[in-house]
Amino acid sequence: MKRQSMIEYGEPLQETEVETPAPTGTEVLVKITHCGVCHSDLHMHDGYFDLGGGKQLDVRAGRELPFTLGHEIAGAVEAVGPDAAGVSAGEQYAVYPWMGCGACAVCTRGDEHLCKVTHHLGTTVDGGFASHVMVPHPRYLLSMEGLDAKLAGSYMCSGLTAFSALKKVAPYLEEGPLILVGLGGVGMMGLRFARALYDTKIYGADIDPAKRQAAIDAGADEVFDPSEDGIRKTVLKASGGGVSAAVDFAGSEKSLQFSQSVVRKGGCAVVAGLIGGNFSLPAPMFPLRALAILGTFVGSLTHAREMLDLVRAGKVEAIPVELRNLDQANNALTDLREGRVIGRVVLTP
Ligand SMILES: [Zn+2]
Ligand SMILES: [Zn+2]
């Protein structure tokens, strides 16, 4: 099998070739048809996340080089192990990449993505910038029926992140409204999921007027510019004392500062974005405001299935896709890093 692999962190990807493995036990060998190129691939390629104040979170541990990035994978079953039930060669699937050990309490309650064993395709084990990928069990294969093959893999990342973040605010929404902060690709998916899931007022916030307008066009009730003077008071006034929940799809110091500041007493702010930075809040504010700040990381297999049902029901508008050959993986990373990509670049091995 051919791969576009990271030979050294931060250096251009190179083609590597290894023997295509044969599936054993419950394994399923998938011939990749599409793999999306994502911002998290850039972080993995860098080898670190920015923590603000000049600090970095090193994410190079536990990964042997050469390593193959790519976690937004869709493809067709090529071969199945003797114990892999329910799938046959030729069937098309999106691959759930956030696998755990499959056996611990966290995994058995359905939260494999939070297992301390991270068997994550394209981030801890070799992923989808390749002609093939080995999937350890058929349960990670999600039906592609009614889905656009070009985008099916990408839903496992940005779509799932947006959907799962939105599910976390459910217990807080009785008094509404909900505000979504950061209206890029993930935030806009979040807006559409929020519209489908909840019957509450939904606000949007972004510093970019074009993104605010796009949110209005997609059904946001009101939009705000977080960089405007006195914006906190404006939001508190509009919402009658604060929103009940905020989802921060940016995840920067400024966005989280703003997101939590407009949440009313007893409300919550969910952090989904990974832009980076350092956020601080005086400790007494947590009890005095009965404030919850939660992180969310991708989502569970159950959420993945529920999310794909909403996609099939037409609740998510397709993003623009540019297809490129697998050997263009490195250029795709560079273009993404330099802000030249609109929508998603999807590699076609
Ligand atoms: Zn991704
Ligand atoms: Zn586990």
Side-chain angles (χ1 to χ4, degrees):
M1 58 189 265
K2 283 197 160 86
R3 317 175 299 180
Q4 284 288 324
S5 305
M6 186 163 69
I7 307 295
E8 195 52 64
Y9 288 95
E11 296 294 319
L13 305 182
Q14 285 179 28
E15 183 171 296
T16 58
E17 196 160 358
V18 290
E19 203 178 317
T20 308
T24 60
T26 59
E27 288 176 340
V28 181
L29 180 69
V30 170
K31 185 166 179 4
I32 298 172
T33 55
H34 299 88
C35 185
V37 182
C38 172
H39 274 99
S40 357
D41 292 312
L42 294 181
H43 292 302
M44 292 300 142
H45 188 227
D46 290 336
Y48 63 86
F49 280 92
D50 180 12
L51 295 180
K55 291 192 189 128
Q56 295 178 343
L57 174 68
D58 192 326
V59 291
R60 289 175 299 179
R63 196 177 302 116
E64 268 179 38
L65 299 178
F67 183 82
T68 306
L69 297 165
H71 52 273
E72 303 188 350
I73 307 168
V77 171
E78 183 161 294
V80 293
D83 305 319
V87 292
S88 317
E91 290 172 349
Q92 298 220 315
Y93 291 100
V95 182
Y96 177 85
W98 317 113
M99 308 164 187
C101 75
C104 73
V106 175
C107 285
T108 43
R109 75 163 192 243
D111 285 328
E112 280 204 47
H113 62 302
L114 302 179
C115 177
K116 67 176 192 259
V117 178
T118 51
H119 190 86
H120 296 179
L121 295 179
T123 70
T124 61
V125 298
D126 283 327
F129 293 178
S131 58
H132 294 78
V133 70
M134 188 65 87
V135 177
H137 193 280
R139 73 172 174 277
Y140 304 115
L141 299 175
L142 304 175
S143 167
M144 215 135 85
E145 210 184 308
L147 299 178
D148 180 349
K150 297 193 291 292
L151 276 173
S154 294
Y155 289 126
M156 288 301 115
C157 181
S158 47
L160 185 54
T161 299
F163 182 79
S164 202
L166 262 306
K167 292 290 269 191
K168 286 203 166 58
V169 299
Y172 295 89
L173 285 187
E174 220 160 89
E175 291 134 30
L178 164 68
I179 192 166
L180 309 179
V181 180
L183 300 168
V186 187
M188 286 298 283
M189 271 198 206
L191 174 58
R192 294 192 169 93
F193 287 138
R195 269 275 153 265
L197 289 170
Y198 303 124
D199 182 24
T200 187
K201 268 201 175 147
I202 299 166
Y203 296 166
D206 200 289
I207 52 174
D208 180 346
K211 288 181 178 159
R212 293 198 297 274
Q213 185 57 47
I216 289 286
D217 296 343
D221 292 292
E222 258 185 87
V223 288
F224 300 92
D225 177 0
S227 66
E228 201 180 284
D229 272 348
I231 189 62
R232 177 170 176 269
K233 278 195 179 145
T234 308
V235 179
L236 295 191
K237 196 165 167 220
S239 55
V243 299
S244 56
V247 180
D248 181 354
F249 286 109
S252 71
E253 177 178 351
K254 279 189 178 150
S255 68
L256 184 52
Q257 200 59 261
F258 168 75
S259 300
Q260 61 79 28
S261 78
V262 296
V263 168
R264 71 176 57 167
K265 206 183 244 192
C268 104
V270 174
V271 189
L274 277 167
I275 288 180
N278 193 2
F279 157 82
S280 81
L281 190 66
M285 286 305 168
F286 285 88
L288 292 175
R289 293 175 54 201
L291 174 68
I293 297 187
L294 312 176
T296 186
F297 173 70
V298 295
S300 67
L301 253 174
T302 311
H303 280 174
R305 291 197 187 93
E306 279 180 42
M307 183 252 329
L308 288 183
D309 285 342
L310 285 184
V311 175
R312 283 187 193 98
K315 301 291 183 187
V316 188
E317 201 168 295
I319 54 170
V321 172
E322 187 197 332
L323 297 177
R324 293 192 196 179
N325 282 331
L326 177 60
D327 61 11
Q328 295 302 304
N330 194 64
N331 293 340
L333 281 183
T334 307
D335 287 349
L336 187 59
R337 196 182 293 281
E338 290 170 8
R340 287 195 294 258
V341 172
I342 294 167
R344 216 31 152 214
V345 171
V346 174
L347 301 174
T348 54

